Amino acid sequence: MTLGAMQDWPLRVTHLIDHAGREYGQREIVSRWADGSETRTNWAGIRHDALRMSQALHSAGVGKGDRVATLAMNHARHLVTWYGAVGVGGVLHTINPRLFDEQLTYIVNHAEDRVMLYDAVFQPIIDRLCDQWPTVGLYVCFDPPPGSDVLSFEEWIGAYDGNTAWADGDERDPCMLCYTSGTTGHPKGVLYEHRSTVLHAMAAVQPNLFNFDSRAVMLSVVPMYHAASWGLPWAGAIPGIKFVCSAVNDPAVLCDLMRREGVTHSAGVPTVWLAMFAQLDSDGKDVRDLGALTTAVIGGSACPRFMIERLMNNGVRVAHLWGMTETSPVGTAGAYPWNWEEMSFSEQVDLVSRQGRSAFGVELRCVDLDDPTKALPRDGVTSGALQVRGPWVIKRYFKAEADCTDPDQWFDTGDVATIHPDGTLQLTDRTKDVIKSGGEWISSVELENAAVGHPAVAEAAAIGIYHPRWDERPILVIVRKEGADCCAEDIKAHLVGKVAKWWLPDAVEFVDDIPHTGTGKISKKDLRERFKDYKLAD
Amino acid sequence: MTLGAMQDWPLRVTHLIDHAGREYGQREIVSRWADGSETRTNWAGIRHDALRMSQALHSAGVGKGDRVATLAMNHARHLVTWYGAVGVGGVLHTINPRLFDEQLTYIVNHAEDRVMLYDAVFQPIIDRLCDQWPTVGLYVCFDPPPGSDVLSFEEWIGAYDGNTAWADGDERDPCMLCYTSGTTGHPKGVLYEHRSTVLHAMAAVQPNLFNFDSRAVMLSVVPMYHAASWGLPWAGAIPGIKFVCSAVNDPAVLCDLMRREGVTHSAGVPTVWLAMFAQLDSDGKDVRDLGALTTAVIGGSACPRFMIERLMNNGVRVAHLWGMTETSPVGTAGAYPWNWEEMSFSEQVDLVSRQGRSAFGVELRCVDLDDPTKALPRDGVTSGALQVRGPWVIKRYFKAEADCTDPDQWFDTGDVATIHPDGTLQLTDRTKDVIKSGGEWISSVELENAAVGHPAVAEAAAIGIYHPRWDERPILVIVRKEGADCCAEDIKAHLVGKVAKWWLPDAVEFVDDIPHTGTGKISKKDLRERFKDYKLAD
């Protein structure tokens, strides 16, 4: 017999949009479309349209557990789709349109998507692949050009009045599916649950993470198809933040939106800021001229030191984020430590250069690369395989037959990292890419970072090459900058003092291009394949 | 068959202390004791001591579901007890030492407390009542005076090494029991669950609520025995804030601690700030001289306008909090609205004077006082009975035989309120105290607030008196300030223009004292009893 109880209130994603619609109904959602037009709605409008969309899906026979796919950039109709697909009890499946055709075909079939919602700019993908997507019975275009005969989103939901209720269900029901851009094998699906998504959202708004109060204005340059868009479309509903969405990533457009809309928070990968800096430079402006910006959350890859310095010098808090599709995705974020004010600027930049601290709900540990049962000390020196655990960390991939965690539920991230005594995480490499030489590990990422500091280097990749005595030795593969010149000895000389002596590469090879994956990362797998017959001198 | 899954990670309170101990282990917890001494520990120390305490409890045969009671003020050993009691699988039961003996006897027996931990200052209560508490088999004193023969807390846990694991269990297991200071009948117990407590903590740290990042330094003047101390001992663990605890509420001590310890956040009822203001005035100082204070969270009763103005004029954010023991307790908090910067100071104070906005996880509605099935509009005018719903709202009182919610799980708070179009809550009265006159409702609280604005009035209470024509009419019962003089006509004249004309009291009675409950609130029940034979002129 129960002695007393608190209420039953399943952690369903629909509570998020109900809350935003009710408590922050008038707060704006701004969309800047590919054709340059702008539209405005608000949280009440998003909710109403999501209810209408859930009616439209229901009429189309789409219901509990059915996958609803999108191929789209960031805009309010895409946001409606997130809540509308989930609201009918379905599973939102955001697809990265930059993937190769064979991956797109695999993913849609593996997910058994029932509906495909897409931006007009991706019509060629639809035309090219729809015959290979037998499960998709309905195509809806978010922004059909005038005179087009495809089904328009506004027309589709326009037939409904929104007078319906969200589908009920358990908090462990799935709500979203994202495929990882694995570098080997088929893409793998991560199936988020209502519960994991709501808990992740409640964490994301905290001061140590995105720090969203109801005054926040977010321009996210994280595509809504990428890693659940860092969970922002869910988290933003909690304090009802103003979202500014852009369907194009042109830096001139982004700078203009930041200024005009009073953007306080931005989120994106470092390359976005590279482009923004170039734009600001050509305009004779700096970051502080963007107006209200207080916070730049940067993740996806390591944020260069000069970028952190420039943003901080302009009064912007830089929060380095680490996570992955498998972690919903936020694992750590750059939080202010308690002694922040006592640190020198240089110490602050050192700290911000790391990947932040674990959110409450994410447990981190590093284990020995050779012996994953051996947990490593948090000494800021010893690096090993990074493992995570928590309520928004994956347990089992979509349609997999076994869990992807160890018996204690630790998930191996594939990252190599060290944890400092103060709890901050510092990534050093990917497990697959780290180079083993004479029984010791060399970080390919640190070699690359040191190499790109040379003024003639556009891009650098370090890989391990078989060596009869040392097992592996590193070589550097380099693309020179347009018109620049340098030789192997220049690069080696540049590295001296920046990395341990025994890390210095045995060879430097210059190439015209380095292979990339569908998501723009260096494909070490393809590079290793290209250099598989490479021979080092003894 | 499951298609994929995120991890199982029950929302257990022990995750909070594990997180704080691991990620913020060195962050200080300062205790200022009743004897004037100060001690310092940190989150790692709290965790270690809580583990040792859970071993001590286990050795004493205390385990899953057993109630562990405290009669204590705010200090680090009390904080250890919160986590230690829960850590062994028990239920922490914080008791208000200000209650009357008969209530203390009832509560301890009703809770069937197994252990009693107490401050030396409450030894007389123990000596007086221990014979009436047959279930309590172990008494432990947090701070025994030298030479005392009672069991000391440090000695008790000192026999253990902390080398143990927390008790496992379900997230819906109970973790804490608090009794409400009901004005009628026996006190009722609210049984918090691990899940409700963790969700409440995740909400509390958000920018719209307590706004805790890891730099926060909190001096809470909310007693740890009162309404779960607003959840602060749990929430503070998430970003590992520095806690400054004082076992005495002397304003000179509090001001001194604020200055010396760099306090950024305070929490307490309005009367605490009244005493602080008096202290600052006598020192020739103002709030800004306290140093680092940025945030004053005020709840428990309505915060007077002059208090809000003085704090805001000193650069302090005032967040008005509403909640009750039955809501864990945070229901709403004064969040900055998006247009805060555009409001005048006077408009800002108006807004802050309301009770804030609902946290994500708390649904609010007002219903007609005469017809609870009729939901009222959010127009800022219509007032009615306030109902709430959510994962940290009560469903059933401890040992009750039925739920205390309606079929849709709405819990009636006993408050009368209006909700504004922007979602802010404004309390107007208690359901029991509102006065019905000619079919319309008069707010006793608004009458009292207007009356205490008269310079000669120390305290005022409005109650309804039977009236043959109007059903009820209000009278005001007033305690004059020491040495001040005023008559009934003075009071009535003062009220004109401040309340509706038909709200003006039919009579004003002057008394030497107004009865109070064990928690210091005006006891309208006793007042009504005292005036039960009072006759009004027709």
Side-chain angles (χ1 to χ4, degrees):
Chain A
M1 192 204 93
T2 173
L3 281 170
M6 303 306 279
Q7 296 193 359
D8 311 311
W9 199 86
L11 300 174
R12 298 276 295 183
V13 164
T14 45
H15 284 309
L16 294 168
I17 189 65
D18 282 344
H19 176 79
R22 188 176 56 231
E23 307 297 340
Y24 303 100
Q26 302 311 304
R27 189 63 164 149
E28 282 185 317
I29 312 288
V30 180
S31 303
R32 201 278 189 190
W33 297 86
D35 66 3
S37 63
E38 282 180 21
T39 57
R40 284 165 192 271
T41 177
N42 56 31
W43 281 106
I46 298 289
R47 179 173 181 274
H48 181 67
D49 286 352
L51 284 164
R52 296 200 295 162
M53 179 181 162
S54 80
Q55 289 174 304
L57 286 169
H58 183 74
S59 296
V62 175
K64 192 175 162 82
D66 289 334
R67 269 75 74 188
V68 176
T70 63
L71 269 174
M73 303 301 289
N74 296 13
H75 49 69
R77 290 179 197 140
H78 201 175
L79 185 59
V80 167
T81 299
W82 280 46
Y83 286 102
V86 172
V88 77
V91 175
L92 171 74
H93 174 205
T94 51
I95 304 179
N96 182 349
R98 311 289 177 216
L99 295 177
F100 305 120
D101 280 5
E102 64 188 69
Q103 292 171 313
L104 290 171
T105 301
Y106 172 82
I107 284 175
V108 171
N109 283 294
H110 188 258
E112 301 171 78
D113 292 321
R114 297 279 310 277
V115 183
M116 178 69 68
L117 298 108
Y118 63 96
D119 285 353
V121 69
F122 303 124
Q123 187 71 50
I125 298 178
I126 306 296
D127 294 342
R128 210 160 61 223
L129 299 180
C130 63
D131 285 348
Q132 296 173 59
W133 294 341
T135 61
V136 179
L138 177 64
Y139 289 85
V140 183
C141 182
F142 284 120
D143 54 346
S148 155
D149 60 354
V150 299
L151 176 58
S152 121
F153 182 77
E154 290 295 332
E155 195 181 308
W156 181 52
I157 69 169
Y160 301 91
D161 61 5
N163 188 14
T164 185
W166 304 122
D168 275 337
D170 190 88
E171 67 181 33
R172 297 293 297 259
D173 284 347
C175 70
M176 188 172 188
L177 178 63
C178 290
Y179 282 78
T180 60
S181 51
T183 46
T184 54
H186 283 304
K188 287 183 282 191
V190 180
L191 192 66
Y192 303 124
E193 299 167 357
H194 281 263
R195 173 185 165 101
S196 66
T197 302
V198 171
L199 290 173
H200 181 268
M202 290 182 73
V205 302
Q206 295 171 8
N208 272 0
L209 289 99
F210 284 97
N211 192 28
F212 284 151
D213 73 10
S214 295
R215 293 176 297 179
V217 181
M218 166 58 88
L219 175 66
S220 169
V221 196
V222 185
M224 290 177 74
Y225 55 74
H226 177 71
S229 202
W230 299 1
L232 294 168
W234 309 123
I238 290 180
I241 70 171
K242 173 176 167 180
F243 267 118
V244 180
C245 310
S246 178
V248 296
N249 285 342
D250 175 345
V253 169
L254 299 179
C255 286
D256 179 54
L257 282 172
M258 282 197 175
R259 270 189 295 259
R260 282 194 294 114
E261 300 295 340
V263 169
T264 58
H265 288 63
S266 80
V269 295
T271 48
V272 168
W273 275 109
L274 275 186
M276 299 274 282
F277 285 174
Q279 181 66 42
L280 289 166
D281 290 343
S282 85
D283 292 347
K285 306 270 187 191
D286 209 339
V287 176
R288 65 179 73 248
D289 300 309
L290 295 174
L293 192 73
T294 62
T295 308
V297 183
I298 298 179
S301 59
C303 183
R305 194 174 175 92
F306 78 91
M307 190 174 286
I308 294 170
E309 287 171 346
R310 180 161 176 181
L311 287 164
M312 284 177 56
N313 276 325
N314 279 270
V316 175
R317 172 194 168 208
V318 180
H320 218 152
L321 202 81
W322 169 82
M324 55 201 306
T325 305
E326 287 87 342
T327 63
S328 295
V330 180
T332 62
Y336 285 120
W338 65 270
N339 58 341
W340 178 255
E341 304 293 345
E342 297 161 23
M343 297 168 73
S344 68
F345 183 76
S346 164
E347 289 169 332
Q348 291 178 338
V349 175
D350 286 347
L351 189 81
V352 173
S353 298
R354 300 179 196 156
Q355 275 71 24
R357 319 179 66 103
S358 77
F360 170 71
V362 176
E363 300 175 42
L364 303 175
R365 69 171 190 177
C366 289
V367 298
D368 194 281
L369 282 168
D370 295 314
D371 175 8
T373 66
K374 187 181 160 200
L376 298 176
R378 293 183 161 212
D379 58 10
V381 179
T382 318
S383 67
L386 177 65
Q387 300 187 328
V388 292
R389 190 160 77 169
W392 56 85
V393 175
I394 192 168
K395 182 180 181 185
R396 179 179 293 204
Y397 286 102
F398 183 61
K399 292 184 175 175
E401 303 200 338
D403 292 347
C404 52
T405 54
D406 80 4
D408 292 324
Q409 217 177 206
W410 289 104
F411 172 74
D412 191 305
T413 64
D415 281 314
V416 181
T418 182
I419 302 176
H420 289 260
D422 66 358
T424 52
L425 176 72
Q426 186 172 3
L427 294 188
T428 54
D429 211 338
R430 294 284 300 164
T431 316
K432 281 195 288 277
D433 300 333
V434 70
I435 298 159
K436 191 163 194 178
S437 178
E440 301 284 341
W441 297 98
I442 296 172
S443 163
S444 67
V445 172
E446 287 182 42
L447 270 181
E448 291 157 9
N449 286 349
V452 293
H454 189 287
V457 173
E459 192 168 23
I463 54 173
I465 295 289
Y466 171 75
H467 188 286
R469 177 163 170 206
W470 302 110
D471 192 12
E472 281 188 335
R473 284 299 300 160
I475 69 163
L476 263 171
V477 182
I478 283 180
V479 180
R480 290 190 192 93
K481 278 190 186 156
E482 190 82 22
D485 198 22
C486 63
C487 67
E489 291 314 309
D490 295 337
I491 300 295
K492 286 188 191 175
H494 169 79
L495 295 177
V496 171
K498 295 191 177 63
V499 298
K501 200 172 172 198
W502 62 275
W503 284 26
L504 289 175
D506 280 28
V508 179
E509 294 294 327
F510 295 91
V511 295
D512 290 337
D513 70 288
I514 285 177
H516 294 89
T517 67
T519 55
K521 297 176 184 173
I522 291 175
S523 175
K524 293 277 178 86
K525 185 187 69 158
D526 289 334
L527 203 61
R528 280 189 287 263
E529 179 63 24
R530 206 191 277 181
F531 283 85
K532 72 175 167 10
D533 298 323
Y534 192 86
K535 288 276 184 296
L536 288 169
D538 282 359
Chain B
M1 192 202 95
T2 175
L3 281 169
M6 303 306 280
Q7 295 192 0
D8 310 311
W9 199 85
L11 301 174
R12 298 275 295 183
V13 164
T14 44
H15 284 308
L16 294 168
I17 189 65
D18 282 345
H19 176 78
R22 187 176 57 230
E23 306 298 339
Y24 304 101
Q26 301 311 304
R27 188 63 163 150
E28 282 185 317
I29 312 287
V30 181
S31 302
R32 200 277 188 190
W33 296 85
D35 66 1
S37 64
E38 282 181 20
T39 58
R40 284 165 192 272
T41 177
N42 55 30
W43 281 106
I46 297 290
R47 179 173 182 273
H48 181 67
D49 286 352
L51 284 164
R52 295 199 296 161
M53 178 181 164
S54 80
Q55 289 175 304
L57 286 170
H58 184 74
S59 296
V62 175
K64 191 173 165 84
D66 289 334
R67 270 76 74 188
V68 176
T70 63
L71 268 174
M73 303 302 289
N74 296 13
H75 49 68
R77 290 180 196 138
H78 200 174
L79 184 59
V80 167
T81 299
W82 280 47
Y83 286 102
V86 173
V88 77
V91 175
L92 171 73
H93 174 205
T94 51
I95 303 178
N96 182 348
R98 310 292 177 213
L99 294 177
F100 305 119
D101 280 6
E102 64 187 70
Q103 292 172 314
L104 291 171
T105 301
Y106 172 84
I107 284 174
V108 171
N109 283 294
H110 188 258
E112 301 171 75
D113 292 321
R114 299 279 310 276
V115 183
M116 177 70 67
L117 299 107
Y118 63 97
D119 284 355
V121 70
F122 302 124
Q123 185 73 48
I125 298 178
I126 307 296
D127 294 342
R128 212 160 60 223
L129 299 179
C130 63
D131 286 346
Q132 297 174 56
W133 293 341
T135 60
V136 180
L138 178 64
Y139 289 86
V140 183
C141 182
F142 284 121
D143 54 345
S148 155
D149 61 354
V150 299
L151 176 58
S152 122
F153 182 77
E154 290 296 332
E155 195 181 309
W156 180 51
I157 68 170
Y160 302 91
D161 61 5
N163 189 14
T164 184
W166 304 121
D168 275 339
D170 190 87
E171 67 182 28
R172 296 293 298 260
D173 284 348
C175 69
M176 187 172 189
L177 178 63
C178 290
Y179 282 77
T180 61
S181 51
T183 47
T184 54
H186 282 305
K188 287 183 282 191
V190 180
L191 193 67
Y192 304 124
E193 299 167 357
H194 281 263
R195 172 185 167 101
S196 66
T197 301
V198 170
L199 291 174
H200 181 269
M202 290 182 73
V205 302
Q206 295 172 7
N208 273 358
L209 289 99
F210 285 97
N211 191 29
F212 284 151
D213 73 10
S214 294
R215 294 176 297 179
V217 181
M218 166 58 88
L219 174 66
S220 169
V221 195
V222 184
M224 290 175 74
Y225 56 73
H226 177 71
S229 203
W230 298 1
L232 294 168
W234 309 125
I238 290 179
I241 69 172
K242 173 177 167 180
F243 267 118
V244 180
C245 310
S246 177
V248 295
N249 285 342
D250 176 345
V253 170
L254 300 179
C255 286
D256 179 54
L257 283 171
M258 281 196 176
R259 270 189 296 258
R260 281 195 293 116
E261 299 295 342
V263 169
T264 59
H265 288 62
S266 81
V269 294
T271 48
V272 168
W273 275 109
L274 275 186
M276 300 274 283
F277 285 174
Q279 180 68 41
L280 289 166
D281 291 343
S282 85
D283 293 347
K285 306 269 188 192
D286 208 338
V287 176
R288 69 178 70 248
D289 299 310
L290 295 173
L293 192 72
T294 63
T295 307
V297 184
I298 297 179
S301 58
C303 183
R305 195 175 174 92
F306 79 90
M307 191 174 283
I308 294 170
E309 287 171 347
R310 181 161 175 181
L311 287 163
M312 283 176 56
N313 276 326
N314 278 271
V316 176
R317 171 194 169 211
V318 180
H320 219 153
L321 201 82
W322 170 83
M324 54 201 306
T325 306
E326 286 87 342
T327 63
S328 293
V330 180
T332 62
Y336 284 120
W338 64 269
N339 57 342
W340 178 255
E341 304 294 345
E342 296 162 23
M343 297 167 74
S344 69
F345 184 75
S346 165
E347 289 169 331
Q348 290 178 337
V349 175
D350 286 347
L351 189 83
V352 173
S353 298
R354 299 179 199 157
Q355 275 71 27
R357 320 180 66 104
S358 77
F360 170 71
V362 177
E363 300 176 42
L364 303 176
R365 69 171 188 176
C366 289
V367 297
D368 193 282
L369 281 168
D370 295 315
D371 175 8
T373 65
K374 188 181 159 200
L376 298 177
R378 294 183 159 211
D379 58 10
V381 179
T382 317
S383 67
L386 177 65
Q387 300 188 327
V388 292
R389 191 162 73 173
W392 56 84
V393 175
I394 192 167
K395 183 181 183 186
R396 179 178 293 203
Y397 286 102
F398 183 61
K399 291 185 176 174
E401 302 200 338
D403 292 348
C404 53
T405 53
D406 80 4
D408 292 325
Q409 216 176 208
W410 289 104
F411 172 74
D412 190 305
T413 63
D415 281 314
V416 181
T418 183
I419 302 176
H420 288 260
D422 66 358
T424 52
L425 176 72
Q426 186 173 2
L427 294 188
T428 55
D429 212 338
R430 293 284 299 164
T431 316
K432 280 195 288 279
D433 300 333
V434 71
I435 298 159
K436 191 163 193 178
S437 178
E440 301 286 340
W441 297 97
I442 295 172
S443 162
S444 67
V445 172
E446 289 183 41
L447 270 181
E448 290 157 7
N449 285 349
V452 294
H454 189 286
V457 173
E459 191 166 24
I463 55 172
I465 295 290
Y466 171 74
H467 189 286
R469 179 168 169 200
W470 302 111
D471 192 13
E472 280 188 335
R473 285 298 299 162
I475 70 164
L476 264 172
V477 181
I478 284 181
V479 179
R480 289 191 193 92
K481 278 190 188 156
E482 189 86 19
D485 197 22
C486 63
C487 67
E489 291 314 308
D490 295 340
I491 301 296
K492 286 188 191 175
H494 171 77
L495 295 177
V496 171
K498 296 191 175 63
V499 297
K501 202 173 169 195
W502 64 275
W503 284 27
L504 289 174
D506 281 28
V508 179
E509 294 293 327
F510 295 92
V511 296
D512 290 338
D513 70 285
I514 283 177
H516 292 89
T517 66
T519 54
K521 296 177 185 172
I522 291 176
S523 173
K524 294 277 179 85
K525 184 185 69 155
D526 289 334
L527 203 61
R528 278 189 288 263
E529 179 65 22
R530 205 191 277 181
F531 282 84
K532 73 175 169 3
D533 298 323
Y534 192 84
K535 288 280 182 297
L536 288 169
D538 282 2

